[in-house]
Amino acid sequence: MTIPATTCQVSKKHVLLSEILAVTSVMRKNSRWASGAHTLTARDSALARDLGLRRSTPSTDIQKNGRLSQEADLMGGFQQLKRTIWDVDDIEALPLPGLIGPFFALVRSPLSNGPITSAALSALHTFFVCDLISPTSISLEPALVELSSTVSHCKFEASDSSGDEVVLLKIMTVIHDCIVTSGVGAFLGDVEICEMLETVLTTACQMRLSEILRRSAESTMVSIVRTIFGRLHALNPTAEEAMLLLNEEEPQHGEISMSVSANVTDAGNFPLQASEGVPSSTQQDAVSLEDPERPASPEVEGPSQALSPPRPYGLPALLELLRVLVNILDPNDQVHTDSTRLTALGILNAAVETSGTVMGDYPSLSALILDPGCKYLFQLARSDNSFVLQAALRTITTVFQTMRKHLKLQQELYLAFSIDRLAAPPQSKLISSKRNNPTSPRPGTPATGTPILGPVDTELELDKGSPVPSRPPVQPARGDTRDLMLETLSQLCRHPSSMVDLYVNYDCDINCENLFERLIEFLTKGVYPWQYSSASDTQQLHSQYLCLDLLLAFVNDMTARAEGRSEPWASDFILPDSLMQDKSRKKLVLTGAARFNSKPKIGIAFLEENKLIYSDLSPEVSRTRSLAIFLKSCTRLDKRLLGDYISKPDNLELLKEFLGLFDFKDKPIADAMREMLESFRLPGESQQINRITETFASIYFASGPAEIKTEDAVYVLAYSVIMLNTDLHNPQIRKRMTIEDYKRNLRGVNGGTNFSPEYLQSIYDSIRKREIVMPEEHTGQLGFEYAWKELLARSRQSGPFLMCNSALFDLDMFKTVWKPLISAIAYAFISFDDDYVIQRAISGFRQCATLAGHFHLPDVFDFVVVSLSQATSLLSENLPTQVPNYPVVEVEGQSVTVSSLSVKFGTNFKGQLAAVVLFNIVNGNGNALREGWTQIFEMFQNLFMHSLLPTRMLQMEDFLGGVTMIPLRGGQHSRPAPRSDGGLLSALSSYLMTPYGASSENLVPEATDTEVESTMCTIDCITSCRLDELYAQTIQLDSEALVAAIRALEALAHERTITKWKQESDELTTAFNTSSAGDGTFTLPYDPASVFLLETMVSITCQTSRYIEDLWPILFEHLSALLSASTHYSVLLIERAVVALLRLCLILAQKKTLRDQVYVSLDLIAGLPPIVANSVAEQIVAGVTLILQNRDIVSSQTEWNLVFAALRSTTSHPEAARSTFDLVLSFVTDGQSQWMTPDNFNGLITILDEFANSAGQSIMVPQRGRRVPSQPPPNTPPIERGRRAIDILYDMKRFIAPFAESTGLQTGQVWRQYCLPLALSLGKQSTNPSRLVRHTAISQLQRLLLGPRFVYDETDHGQAEEIFNSIIFPLIDELLKPQVQQFDPQGISETRLRASALLCKAFMHFEVRENRTKSDIRILWIEILDLLDRLINAGKTEQLYEAVSESLKNVVLVMNAANILVPPSQEDQRDEHQRTLWTATQARLERFLPGFLIEVIPTPQLQLPPSTPVPDSTSAVPAAAPSTA
């Protein structure tokens, strides 16, 4: 469906005739117009001339009735028009001025009234609508000139006010038609546009007109402004500016100017009378359609009076309108009211919205906006009128949005001002400035709270307490004003590149404030509540939301840039590296300035250290000049302190250099003084002022000023300027100095002559019109003007505002603000209840985490995790070691533990949100986490204690039975007794094996439906957190993150074990005033959390063996601390520590660089107390067995000794001993598993000896009255292992010869390293309480000693003696002890019998052989006899007596045959040894076997000399007592 065109469908001739009829009909309704309707005197002269007739002069009556003639002429004009077009078919062929001229004449005529003028204006409106006035009309330009003049000079008699306002409304409509809706607006000239705009603007600003009319006029003005300023996009800026300059020099179409009269009076009713035909509504009110100060445009009487066509309007008209609008905004202009300014603000905003982006291309327009436009707008931003404030802020926002690149310093000013007003007031009282100091020639000007414009950084806490240039207090914005300003600030800073632009243009500019840092600081503080009296809760919450929204927008924009949605840095911009260098230098300058403001010497030392001064030294630049250059150029110095410093006597050279930097050439002394005194504050002491003035006089006089003859004259004149400035501008001085007074005071000081009156007059006028405002007195309107002047001066050097959504600076920006930023987001997340805000905060957390990972800032990621973890409520400051009996219910076939945490967390929706967000953030970003792992694992620990972790995280791995669950509750603390049955974990028999089982000892409370529902909510939340995924991801972490995770686990575990034991033992010691707590008697109760942390730590480490070198020191420190004090902790914890250590050793064994740590660990295990070692024996042997599967792991005797030392601790455990024995047996058994080396030979002897000892330890001493067999059956495992150990020991002799051959040892060395240890072990076990082991050992010992493979040096009698002294003699001595007999009273006699036989056979084998070396055996033989004596007397059994006698008989006979034991004869040929041996032997034998020797070796009866005494055994054998090994 096609929408029909809105153009007029009737002929234009019909339209024209209809409008003529309509207008004349209205005219005829008026009696005066009716009488003149039939009079055509206006055409008499023309008719007479056409007919060649002479017309007489009109009579006096007719002249007097000129008004009637004028009315007739106006009416006649329409009659003539009708006649003209009556016979014309196409009226568009006629000139347009002739067609609409009568309507113009009627509108301009003061004789017409409101209805008539209204009808004429309606006709003009119809002509525009029906295209009678169109771009194709003939003579359009003259018609438009006439139209402009007509509507601008409309005159009619006043009637009623409403009717008159209808006329004005129709004027607005015609103007709108001309400029906006029709196509002829582009043909208007600058003068015509200005005339029309002035008409509309005047109407909009006329306060006595009705609200409807004014608003209509304002709406029309806005529409027109949007249209005409839209032309700027099509114009050529260069050509327009050139034409503007040309037009200023030679105006071609009249003066282009507009004005709005400001004689505003109160609104009232329109007076009915008119003055000269002009309605009082437009003549006497404040705004009129004609400017009385400007000559009216020449009225066009008809088409014959056509003007030359003007150039289409352009820049001149727009510039003039902008000038008028800006001038209206001046808040100090009392002519205009706030209502007028409100209207101007709306119009100006429309203009900037339309063409602000191209205004900067037109220097004339942008100059108006920069100054005074921004100046007035900023002042209006402090208005108390909320409507003006809102309009001003909107306009400011529009200006910055469209012209930001031209308004760098103006934006700095506005943002700093806004932050000052919005920031919370300081807590401490503001120190009032010192004023009216009697020693200063310039008292301060009272402050009125105007914001300072200079760049000040108060956020830099470089030296606390250091004074910085003070910012005058700004009245904080409150209530609606605060909301409005904050909304405006938010609107300004919502552009994606806003924060980057602030950072680049201000924070990286040494002469600007750190606006980015200040803004973020304000916004982060703004998220927290600020209590002030006039703020409602709703307003404050809205303010907090706005601040948070801006922060989150900043984070979102930065995240977008990090993801690649950024812009490249323009090639014509300053290099980013250069900007960052400026930023670094700025930081140093600020630090140096702050220290200078605190103490100048310290500041100068800092500046020199950082090469901010004295780095530019040259023959032209001395140290003093270098310092002066810095002091003059640095805007961050305290001007008061600077003035005081440079005017000190010690710094006179510095003062000269400082003032020498000013260029006073051709400057009047007032301006020179002004420039100098604005760089520092004049000190208060007269001597310092004098010093400054003298130096100034010297330097100024050297510049060659006009009319000054001497330096002293400059000195006096300078003082006079200071005094004059004080006198003219101090509000406390009532009588001001006149020019005559000033001249009189300076009489004769110019080298004895007077200054010229003109010279002094110029000084006087300069000071009177423009006060010299000293630093820190820049307050009130005067201060604002000064600061604005400084801003304009700086803006000429500041360069353009750089705009680029670049990611080059994001890292530095984020590093600067991340901590308060994340804290603010965390506060918002915890404190606010709005779902949208919470959702935004969650996004903010995620994006901060993303940025932390992108920039590799683990501290940031940690802070995010810490902030979120605090919001989860899953952290517990004091987690108990004992888990209460929580009820367990079945829900959908699943056992659910209803704990206190599950119920509480299930009702904490925000905590659940925080948990899900936290773990979703950490999932996949673990490498970015460092310290935050502590919170992660602390939450794991808490969830574990309340049975809320996934099953995978509740398990502990073992060598024996795979995987089991960590028990939540433990039994008694006593150590478990050895068990005979096999199992998974030896230490778990006294513990509840399931973590979710309820104890039957305590009553379990019932769970309510509500608690179960809350628990299910908690379980769902934990499931959403995907904790098992996070746990699985830990094994994929990089080294640094993994080390941090393990350190966090170790710290938590250490706190629950070592630290806790120390604390509680100290508390016990203090409570009972005893040290018993520290002596090993105090044991911590079972803590499941400590086991969980240990298992988690070890599990992660075992799965990341590639980083074992980094992780091992952390784990070993914890494990060694536990095992070194193993009796202080629960059985299960120590068991898990041992398992952990051995599991780690398996990994260490694969690393050559860490193999030594395996033996450090084994040494730690070997040192466990027996009761502890017994409880973990199965784990030890299983671990060591796995370690030894790598045969390259053991390569020395020391290492083997450590291995066997660890294994020895397992021999007393029934299950572990079996595994250990099988391992040892595999070493010595022939086959692939055989592993016998010279290094492990002695170690094997030791552990086999330990097995034999274990067999003896299983023997119980028989109790009286109890029928308990003293000797268990031989097939008992310990006895059987002991017996087999003895057999293995004997069998090991077969390895001695190969080892001796492979090592190349001498016989004595072989004896010492292999044979002797073997024999010693068998000798030791020959006294074992187990009969089977004992008899087997003594038999194998006899086989070893008397066998063919026993290696010893026959030439070394000491070795033979050592066999007796270290093996056989101690053996028999031990068998003779009563305690040995107690274990086996029945079998000990047989053992003694075997021992006696061994003794005798060994003596014959080693000492009585034929090929033996000659040696003195007397002492040895006597010892043997003594032992046989003790054996016979100890047992006193017939069997033993006979056995000993028989063995002794054999020995004696052999000794006799070997000519060792020789009886005396008649011819006694024995040597001394033989005689002594026989005598001693006979004496000993007679004690326990009387007559035995004579019976065995008959001897002749000899008469002994009476003097020969019988030698005593103790005297004959001084070393009778055998030594024990």
Side-chain angles (χ1 to χ4, degrees), residues 1093-1234:
L1093 294 169
L1094 177 62
E1095 287 298 314
T1096 305
M1097 183 168 24
V1098 175
S1099 176
I1100 293 174
T1101 303
C1102 290
Q1103 295 179 76
T1104 54
S1105 58
R1106 59 191 181 279
Y1107 299 123
I1108 188 65
E1109 293 181 351
D1110 299 322
L1111 303 180
W1112 166 249
I1114 305 171
L1115 280 92
F1116 182 72
E1117 180 182 3
H1118 181 70
L1119 293 172
S1120 62
L1122 289 178
L1123 297 180
S1124 299
S1126 55
T1127 57
H1128 302 319
Y1129 305 104
S1130 62
V1131 178
L1132 182 58
L1133 178 61
I1134 296 303
E1135 176 188 305
R1136 301 316 304 161
V1138 170
V1139 171
L1141 193 59
L1142 291 170
R1143 288 175 65 192
L1144 294 172
C1145 285
L1146 290 175
I1147 301 173
L1148 295 173
Q1150 309 301 322
K1151 300 278 186 180
K1152 292 184 178 180
T1153 56
L1154 294 176
R1155 283 186 178 177
D1156 60 321
Q1157 296 300 309
V1158 175
Y1159 301 103
V1160 173
S1161 304
L1162 292 177
D1163 186 39
L1164 184 62
I1165 292 174
L1168 291 174
I1171 188 172
V1172 176
N1174 186 67
S1175 65
V1176 296
E1178 288 181 278
Q1179 284 71 26
I1180 293 175
V1181 65
V1184 172
T1185 301
L1186 291 175
I1187 292 172
L1188 293 178
Q1189 288 180 357
N1190 177 12
R1191 295 210 167 190
D1192 294 334
I1193 188 67
V1194 193
S1195 57
S1196 70
Q1197 184 175 353
T1198 302
E1199 293 171 352
W1200 274 111
N1201 290 341
L1202 290 170
V1203 171
F1204 289 129
L1207 290 174
R1208 280 203 306 272
S1209 62
T1210 68
T1211 56
S1212 59
H1213 190 280
E1215 294 298 328
R1218 180 175 58 191
S1219 301
T1220 304
F1221 189 81
D1222 291 342
L1223 176 66
V1224 172
L1225 184 62
S1226 68
F1227 291 163
V1228 297
T1229 304
D1230 292 338
Q1232 293 182 351
S1233 61
Q1234 187 186 78

Side-chain angles (χ1 to χ4, degrees), residues 427-485:
Q427 298 297 323
S428 59
K429 293 183 179 179
L430 293 169
I431 302 174
S432 59
S433 59
K434 296 182 180 180
R435 293 188 293 182
N436 305 329
N437 189 339
T439 60
S440 172
R442 174 64 182 96
T445 305
T448 58
T450 305
I452 193 170
L453 297 183
V456 179
D457 280 322
T458 58
E459 75 278 359
L460 291 173
E461 298 181 1
L462 302 170
D463 292 286
K464 291 192 175 181
S466 302
V468 295
S470 60
R471 183 186 300 278
V474 177
Q475 185 68 26
R478 304 180 187 276
D480 295 336
T481 301
R482 177 179 174 80
D483 290 346
L484 197 57
M485 293 192 67

Side-chain angles (χ1 to χ4, degrees), residues 166-183:
V166 169
V167 176
L168 296 177
L169 275 173
K170 292 194 174 183
I171 292 176
M172 302 301 110
T173 302
V174 171
I175 293 176
H176 185 269
D177 291 338
C178 182
I179 300 177
V180 179
T181 56
S182 69

Side-chain angles (χ1 to χ4, degrees), residues 1239-1252:
D1239 293 327
N1240 68 2
F1241 188 88
N1242 288 317
L1244 280 170
I1245 292 174
T1246 305
I1247 194 167
L1248 289 169
D1249 189 70
E1250 196 67 35
F1251 275 110

Side-chain angles (χ1 to χ4, degrees), residues 1241-1292:
F1241 188 88
N1242 288 317
L1244 280 170
I1245 292 174
T1246 305
I1247 194 167
L1248 289 169
D1249 189 70
E1250 196 67 35
F1251 275 110
N1253 289 336
S1254 297
Q1257 292 170 1
S1258 65
I1259 305 301
M1260 299 178 61
V1261 178
Q1263 302 292 326
R1264 292 182 181 181
R1266 296 183 63 184
R1267 296 182 179 181
V1268 178
S1270 61
Q1271 293 292 320
N1275 59 354
T1276 303
I1279 303 299
E1280 176 63 19
R1281 282 193 293 269
R1283 182 195 64 78
R1284 295 180 65 188
I1286 298 301
D1287 291 341
I1288 294 172
L1289 281 170
Y1290 173 74
D1291 187 57
M1292 286 174 62

